[in-house]
Amino acid sequence: MGRTGAPRLRIRLLVPRSRRSPIREADPLVRAGFPAHVTVLCPFVHQSRVNDLVHRELSRLFARHPSFALTFAEFGRYPGVLYLDPQPHDPVKALTADLTQRWPELVPYRGIFGTGLDPHLTLANHEGPATQDAAYDALQAELAPLLPLRCHVDTVELIVWDGERWQSQAEYPLGRGD
């Protein structure tokens, strides 16, 4: 899951209620053991270094970015992972770029995936190689009728792994946008 005290910045996803979408959050779609989100930067600086100055810097950084909408209409797969592809990618990538410009020692996903992964909403990552194709095909068929989902993004959340679960530490509003 994560290292104790190692924060990440994420976008929590809320879905506007409509006749088409009976769910309020994207959480019911996720089978991966954590709430629906799009990671902006993981890992972030260790919790012991997140002080008032860092919170102020994050507040200013995120306020420079307008709020935006993401649409989830297509599934994708990484090895062992079924995900939804948020469109457009650019607003999320801009947040990550500004964070890594300010904190250049922070490399998305510790560099495990080279320059990083494209923004994504992990739906499932619990199946082994022998069962993942059939399990993810079935999950994709189950969830496809709920798509597309459109989410308005107006905050970025700082979360910390406490050894058992991710805990919210702070939320930073984005600037005014669409």
Side-chain angles (χ1 to χ4, degrees), residues 1-10 37-50 54 58 62 95-117 120 156-161 166:
M1 276 291 172
R3 295 181 181 173
T4 302
R8 76 169 49 186
L9 291 157
R10 72 174 184 177
H37 70 281
V38 173
T39 298
V40 176
L41 182 61
C42 178
F44 189 57
V45 298
H46 192 273
Q47 182 180 13
S48 64
R49 293 179 44 209
V50 179
V54 171
L58 287 170
F62 291 126
L95 295 170
T96 304
D98 275 5
L99 287 162
T100 56
Q101 182 177 356
R102 167 54 190 88
W103 286 279
E105 71 277 15
L106 301 178
V107 177
Y109 301 102
R110 292 185 177 87
I112 294 169
F113 304 105
T115 58
L117 300 173
H120 61 281
V156 175
E157 183 180 25
L158 176 68
I159 59 172
V160 177
W161 180 252
W166 289 101

Side-chain angles (χ1 to χ4, degrees), residues 38 70-76 78 83-89 118-121 123 147 149:
V38 173
L70 292 174
T71 299
F72 299 87
E74 300 290 329
F75 294 94
Y78 294 126
Y83 67 89
L84 286 173
D85 183 22
Q87 292 295 325
H89 287 185
D118 279 334
H120 61 281
L121 165 59
L123 296 172
L147 302 183
L149 294 177

